Amino acid sequence: MLESFLTFINQQKLDISEKSTLLTVSGGADSIVLAHLFYRAGFSASIAHCNFGLRDQESDEDELFVKKLAEQYAFPFFRTRFETKKFAAEQRISTQMAARELRYEWFEELRKSQNINFIATAHHANDAFETVLLNLTRGTGLAGLHGISVLNQQVIRPLLFASKENILRYIIDNHLTYREDSSNLSDNYKRNMIRHEVIPVLKKMNPSLEKTFGVTSQRLRSADILLNHFLKDWRNSVTENAGEGLVISIKELLNSPEPTYRLWFILQDFDFSYTQVQEIFSAAEGISGKVFYSLSHQVLKDRYSFVVSKRENSVDEHELIIDHPKGIFKTGGLILEIRKILKTEELNIDKKTRSVFFDASKIIFPITIRNWVKGDTFCPFGMKGKRKKVSDLLIDLKININQKQKVKILSNGNGDIMWVIGLRTDEKYKVTDMSQEIIEIDMKE
């Protein structure tokens, strides 16, 4: 395996033989093999270990195990401890996401402070394949089918050539010991479900699954590079610079094969998602004046073109832009607390009568709270497609003139009205049995 390791490094042009590398070692089989290969190859390396405090005594034993390993190889050793669950609660993210953010931030700080060239992780071929399957379940573009990149800025993955089977065989052949993370045996996490339930079924169909995927991944990566090269030339022929923005010819766009994908290729640089681009393209032959927003830019549908411009930082005093699905936001006498719910079982509508719930997959951030204006329309919850003017809703509910002036609406990133705040939500954004993630908004006055 050492020979394959060195061959892979040469093929991928990873310049680590003359430079220093920070090895991220958890104590598991993969990272133990990574450290052993660097030791045998005589590469300059240090070891970094994170104690996330998630498994009590097990976590402390892992830390001690890795420390002794570093001493055995005479590698400098760095360690840190995180209050992972506290950080996850504060940020309202999953424990796994919190651990990822914490460790990569620390690795980069350590790399800079110690003048280290690279950060090496122990991702292998199975990890790359699992990532592709995860991306497919979430929805992905061509880049999401590559798997994991060998090199991403200063982060390298020198074990991507090896399968999990190769790694375990190397462990046995070299009489190495490692620590088993008990959470890896659980199917509570999506990746573990794919690892323990989905992949074994696929391997019955193709025992050489990892090898086959490796070849396919290389082909997809090459195809993506060629496609991007072609589209860059095409983009220059259908766009004109306009200050910090861009003007895109709708005529040229409509005359091109796969126009939605082409439009996304242009607009992805301005923070627009593919879902947003589908909405934008649907307006190509519509009336002028419709505006679509991303976090940093806006797209105006003009007569013959889409005009991309930078979004102004200054916001009207009657408008509040919300960039992310968590936190407490105040405007116009309202206090809204927003959070994302991962499981529908957490819903408790009866106890939270001032809360509203939306299907998270249909929401495009940033969302906006603003005053309602004449001409605003939406589809009130329960009306199943029949649109209604906000002004008519206020009349039906006998809202007086003074109250009308205080009514605000919550609009989606595509401009749709999601909620006439405190009065009615839109049917399109309701929670259904198919909803996987939910946005909950608690309202206080």
Side-chain angles (χ1 to χ4, degrees):
M1 189 169 172
L2 177 62
E3 184 178 346
S4 299
F5 171 69
L6 296 174
T7 299
F8 183 74
I9 288 171
N10 289 331
Q11 289 175 340
Q12 299 297 323
K13 299 180 180 179
L14 298 179
D15 186 19
I16 60 178
S17 60
E18 302 297 330
K19 294 184 178 180
S20 58
T21 304
L22 183 68
L23 307 180
T24 61
V25 180
S26 65
D30 310 334
S31 61
I32 290 300
V33 168
L34 177 67
H36 193 259
L37 288 171
F38 265 75
Y39 173 69
R40 288 183 63 191
F43 294 155
S44 174
S46 304
I47 286 180
H49 176 80
C50 300
N51 186 334
F52 296 105
L54 298 175
R55 294 177 293 117
D56 300 324
Q57 185 177 346
E58 278 188 66
S59 295
D60 295 336
E61 290 172 353
D62 289 347
E63 180 181 323
L64 181 60
F65 176 80
V66 176
K67 181 177 183 294
K68 290 180 178 179
L69 180 77
E71 292 172 351
Q72 179 185 343
Y73 294 163
F75 287 161
F77 177 64
F78 304 95
R79 63 183 171 186
T80 191
R81 298 191 180 196
F82 297 118
E83 294 184 21
T84 312
K85 290 185 178 179
K86 180 181 178 182
F87 180 79
E90 290 173 348
Q91 299 298 315
R92 296 195 176 189
I93 57 179
S94 68
T95 304
Q96 290 71 39
M97 182 62 72
R100 175 183 170 81
E101 289 188 16
L102 288 168
R103 69 176 177 266
Y104 275 102
E105 182 178 351
W106 180 64
F107 291 152
E108 179 59 15
E109 290 175 357
L110 194 57
R111 185 191 70 81
K112 290 179 177 178
S113 66
Q114 299 298 317
N115 295 316
I116 297 172
N117 299 105
F118 297 109
I119 299 168
T121 67
H123 292 95
H124 50 76
N126 294 63
D127 292 323
F129 185 54
E130 291 164 9
T131 297
V132 168
L133 293 180
L134 278 171
N135 288 342
L136 284 171
T137 62
R138 296 164 178 160
T140 186
L142 189 56
L145 300 178
H146 296 175
I148 302 171
S149 300
V150 176
L151 175 65
N152 183 9
Q153 295 180 336
Q154 281 74 40
V155 179
I156 60 174
R157 285 101 179 189
L159 290 187
L160 282 180
F161 71 95
S163 67
K164 185 69 174 185
E165 184 181 354
N166 297 146
I167 288 170
L168 294 177
R169 188 184 304 119
Y170 184 85
I171 289 274
I172 295 170
D173 292 344
N174 291 273
H175 309 289
L176 302 178
T177 57
Y178 63 94
R179 299 278 299 173
E180 182 65 68
D181 183 344
S182 59
S183 66
N184 287 335
L185 304 177
S186 169
D187 285 341
N188 291 334
Y189 309 128
K190 292 180 181 179
R191 183 178 289 273
N192 282 342
M193 187 177 295
I194 287 176
R195 180 178 300 161
H196 299 310
E197 296 185 16
V198 177
I199 289 180
V201 175
L202 295 176
K203 290 202 73 168
K204 288 181 180 179
M205 301 170 62
N206 179 8
S208 302
L209 189 64
E210 293 85 4
K211 184 177 180 180
T212 302
F213 166 72
V215 174
T216 302
S217 177
Q218 291 174 7
R219 293 170 63 186
L220 287 169
R221 184 174 287 106
S222 297
D224 195 25
I225 291 171
L226 289 172
L227 179 60
N228 287 340
H229 180 75
F230 165 77
L231 288 176
K232 284 177 182 178
D233 288 340
W234 171 84
R235 177 178 58 192
N236 294 335
S237 69
V238 301
T239 62
E240 294 181 8
N241 291 326
E244 296 184 38
L246 210 61
V247 176
I248 306 167
S249 168
I250 291 178
K251 179 180 178 181
E252 294 295 333
L253 190 65
L254 294 175
N255 288 335
S256 302
E258 301 297 335
T260 305
Y261 188 89
R262 291 172 184 255
L263 182 59
W264 170 78
F265 181 81
I266 297 172
L267 294 181
Q268 63 176 324
D269 292 337
F270 301 99
D271 299 323
F272 286 92
S273 69
Y274 193 83
T275 303
Q276 285 178 288
V277 172
Q278 289 177 311
E279 295 272 356
I280 295 170
F281 181 74
S282 68
E285 296 181 288
I287 60 174
S288 302
K290 194 163 187 180
V291 182
F292 303 85
Y293 298 97
S294 74
L295 186 61
S296 59
H297 287 75
Q298 66 180 37
V299 172
L300 167 68
K301 196 283 174 177
D302 205 353
R303 292 182 64 187
Y304 304 112
S305 59
F306 287 119
V307 181
V308 186
S309 58
K310 192 169 184 180
R311 195 168 182 171
E312 295 294 333
N313 291 327
S314 58
V315 178
D316 186 280
E317 63 178 344
H318 300 299
E319 183 177 286
L320 174 66
I321 296 173
I322 300 172
D323 298 329
H324 48 275
K326 61 181 179 181
I328 297 176
F329 304 89
K330 300 178 182 179
T331 181
L334 293 174
I335 300 176
L336 300 180
E337 182 174 359
I338 302 178
R339 71 186 184 106
K340 181 179 285 188
I341 301 173
L342 298 179
K343 296 180 179 179
T344 56
E345 288 80 1
E346 293 185 33
L347 287 179
N348 198 338
I349 299 176
D350 292 337
K351 291 185 179 181
K352 292 194 174 184
T353 56
R354 299 292 283 175
S355 296
V356 291
F357 303 87
F358 301 100
D359 187 327
S361 68
K362 297 178 181 178
I363 297 184
I364 303 166
F365 283 88
I367 57 178
T368 303
I369 297 174
R370 62 170 174 82
N371 294 336
W372 74 278
V373 295
K374 186 176 180 180
D376 277 342
T377 65
F378 76 122
C379 179
F381 180 85
M383 293 188 67
K384 298 182 179 180
K386 186 176 180 181
R387 299 194 68 80
K388 189 181 188 74
K389 290 183 179 180
V390 172
S391 57
D392 290 341
L393 173 72
L394 300 182
I395 292 172
D396 292 345
L397 295 177
K398 298 180 180 180
I399 305 296
N400 64 44
I401 293 177
N402 290 333
Q403 290 175 320
K404 283 182 181 179
Q405 295 176 347
K406 299 177 182 179
V407 171
K408 292 183 178 292
I409 61 101
L410 177 67
S411 66
N412 201 8
N414 60 10
D416 286 351
I417 293 176
M418 298 162 49
W419 184 23
V420 181
I421 297 178
L423 300 175
R424 292 288 188 278
T425 57
D426 189 282
E427 171 77 13
K428 179 179 178 181
Y429 297 95
K430 70 180 181 181
V431 174
T432 69
D433 292 339
M434 300 298 292
S435 302
Q436 297 297 314
E437 294 183 322
I438 298 163
I439 299 294
E440 176 186 0
I441 304 180
D442 293 338
M443 185 184 78
K444 298 178 182 179
E445 295 186 37

